[in-house]
Amino acid sequence: MTARPISDARLTILGTGTSSGVPAIGCECRVCTSGDPRDRRSRTAGALQFIDAGGQSRCILLDCGPDHREQALRAKLTRADEILVTHAHVDHVWGLDETRRYNVMQHGPIRLTTDAPTLQSLRTIYAHILGGDPGPNGDDSWVAEIETRDVRPDEPFNCFGLRVTAVELLHGRMSVLGFRIDAPEGTGGELFPLAWCTDVSEISAAAAEALAGVRTLVLDALRDRPHPTHFTIAQAVEAAGRLGAGRTILVHLAHDLTHEELLARLPEGISPGFDGQVLN
Ligand SMILES: [Zn+2]
Ligand SMILES: [Zn+2]
Ligand SMILES: [Zn+2]
C-alpha cells in the first residue's frame, strides 16, 4: 500500500458500557443512580473520523450496537463509510438498521468488514439487509444498503488510507476480532497506531505481537470480579502493560464502579473511557 497522508483524525468513544448498558434497567445501585454523566454508559462502540488524501471526510464505525442512533446524534455523525465489526453479539451489531440514514445522506452503500463467521451470523440476523430477503414489501421497504467484505486475522487491508489489521482475540471460548489501525508514517498525530479491543478475556502471544507498540489502546475491563468472557480491571491493566500501550482507555464497563472511583485507582496512562470522549 502506498502511504497517503490523512489529517484531522479523532476517535469518539461513542459508548463505554457492558451489554446491559449502565444504568441497567431497574437497577438502583449507586453507579446506576449516579449524577455524574460519565457514569451513563451506553453500549461500547466508537467512531474514527478523519480527512483522507483526497480531502474527503471519512467515518469508520467500530461496531454498531443498539444505542447507535442516540450515540450518532450526540456525536453529530453525518456519515459512515465503513463499519468494522468485532463480533455478532447483540450489544455490538444491533444498530445496523440505523445506518440506512447514512445511505440517504451520502448517496451510496456502506462497507461492512469483519470475518467470515461473523458475516454468516449477520446474514441470519439481518436477512432483510444482507440475506437477500427484503420481506413481503420488497423494494418498498427502507433498509440499509451495506456491502460486505470478509477479512482474515493478520492480513492488513486498506481503509481510506489507513492500514487496518484484524487481530484474533479470545472472548471466553469465542474467537472475536480486535482491530489495529495504523496511519501512514508521519501522519495521524498521537492517535495511531490505535487498537480497538472490546470483548476480550485473553490475548494470545501472537495477538500481543500484532498489537505491540500501539499508542492508543481501547480495551475491555468489565469489573473486579472475574468473568468468563471479559477481562477484569486487573487483567486489563496487566495486558495494557504487556502490550506497551502509550495510553489505554477502558471500556465495556459494568455498574460496579463509578468513573471517579476507577480513575483514582488506575495507574498512569490508563483511564476509564466515558461516552462522548474524544481522543486525538
Ligand atoms: Zn459486548
Ligand atoms: Zn446498577
Ligand atoms: Zn461479546
Side-chain angles (χ1 to χ4, degrees):
M1 195 182 98
T2 43
R4 304 195 308 170
I6 62 136
S7 60
D8 295 347
R10 67 182 192 276
L11 172 69
T12 304
I13 309 283
L14 297 173
T16 53
T18 189
S19 57
S20 60
V22 181
I25 294 172
C27 186
E28 295 184 346
C29 80
R30 69 203 163 73
V31 180
C32 287
T33 55
S34 159
D36 185 341
R38 296 171 302 179
D39 292 331
R40 290 189 75 87
R41 299 166 178 150
S42 64
R43 267 58 71 91
T44 294
L48 177 60
Q49 294 168 282
F50 58 100
I51 312 287
D52 74 10
Q56 172 67 54
S57 67
R58 298 291 182 187
C59 177
I60 299 173
L61 298 180
L62 294 149
D63 286 332
C64 189
D67 295 317
H68 182 74
R69 178 175 164 277
E70 290 292 340
Q71 293 172 339
L73 291 171
R74 176 181 187 156
K76 298 188 165 46
L77 301 185
T78 55
R79 61 181 301 121
D81 298 281
E82 177 105 27
I83 309 169
L84 301 178
V85 176
T86 59
H87 63 306
H89 279 167
V90 166
D91 54 324
H92 297 266
V93 299
W94 280 36
L96 283 181
D97 273 316
E98 309 294 356
T99 64
R100 58 190 184 165
R101 270 293 299 155
Y102 304 117
N103 296 136
V104 172
M105 291 188 286
Q106 63 204 37
H107 309 290
I110 301 164
R111 188 168 55 193
L112 183 152
T113 300
T114 189
D115 60 6
T118 305
L119 267 185
Q120 197 176 351
S121 299
L122 291 178
R123 285 198 186 95
T124 306
I125 300 166
Y126 288 103
H128 59 298
I129 299 175
L130 303 170
D133 178 16
N137 286 329
D139 289 345
D140 292 335
S141 298
W142 178 29
V143 303
E145 195 187 339
I146 291 175
E147 291 173 350
T148 59
R149 73 169 158 179
D150 61 278
V151 291
R152 294 148 77 93
D154 305 318
E155 291 179 4
F157 54 94
N158 182 11
C159 228
F160 307 101
L162 295 174
R163 181 182 198 260
V164 183
T165 311
V167 178
E168 190 174 357
L169 304 171
L170 269 179
H171 178 24
R173 287 186 293 275
M174 180 184 184
S175 198
V176 303
L177 299 181
F179 293 103
R180 177 190 172 121
I181 305 175
D182 287 85
E185 217 163 296
T187 67
E190 294 297 303
L191 191 58
F192 302 103
L194 162 71
W196 184 264
C197 299
T198 182
D199 294 50
V200 51
S201 54
E202 192 181 327
I203 297 177
S204 70
E209 199 174 313
L211 294 167
V214 294
R215 214 176 260 165
T216 306
L217 171 65
V218 180
L219 186 62
D220 185 352
L222 185 72
R223 63 186 189 197
D224 286 331
R225 266 184 305 131
H227 190 281
T229 67
H230 293 277
F231 271 159
T232 62
I233 290 154
Q235 287 169 331
V237 168
E238 187 276 324
R242 190 154 51 97
L243 299 178
R247 62 175 160 178
T248 300
I249 311 297
L250 303 182
V251 295
H252 221 285
L253 303 163
H255 55 150
D256 297 43
L257 290 163
T258 66
H259 185 91
E260 276 296 336
E261 289 165 348
L262 195 44
L263 188 61
R265 52 179 256 198
L266 287 170
E268 174 129 12
I270 305 182
S271 57
F274 57 90
D275 289 24
Q277 183 177 14
V278 177
L279 304 169
N280 46 27

